[in-house]
Amino acid sequence: MIIEFCCNSRSSGQNVPEATRIARQCGGIIEDRFYKIKFDYP
């Protein structure tokens, strides 16, 4: 099972800085203005 999380890297929401920090720590990539993180297991 693959789980994918996406968040808009250009959003101005209050939780975006924390979400992008977590994305970078988990090996997230930016693709089409979105941070994408994929996990092979929950």
Side-chain angles (χ1 to χ4, degrees):
M1 172 190 321
I2 296 176
I3 300 170
E4 182 175 294
F5 291 96
C6 300
C7 67
N8 188 336
S9 64
R10 296 184 183 188
S11 176
S12 61
Q14 69 181 28
N15 295 320
V16 171
E18 182 178 5
T20 56
R21 180 181 57 80
I22 292 169
R24 280 188 238 120
Q25 288 177 346
C26 295
I29 60 168
I30 294 181
E31 185 177 296
D32 298 325
R33 296 187 335 231
F34 288 90
Y35 268 104
K36 294 186 175 187
I37 310 167
K38 290 184 181 180
F39 298 96
D40 293 330
Y41 54 90

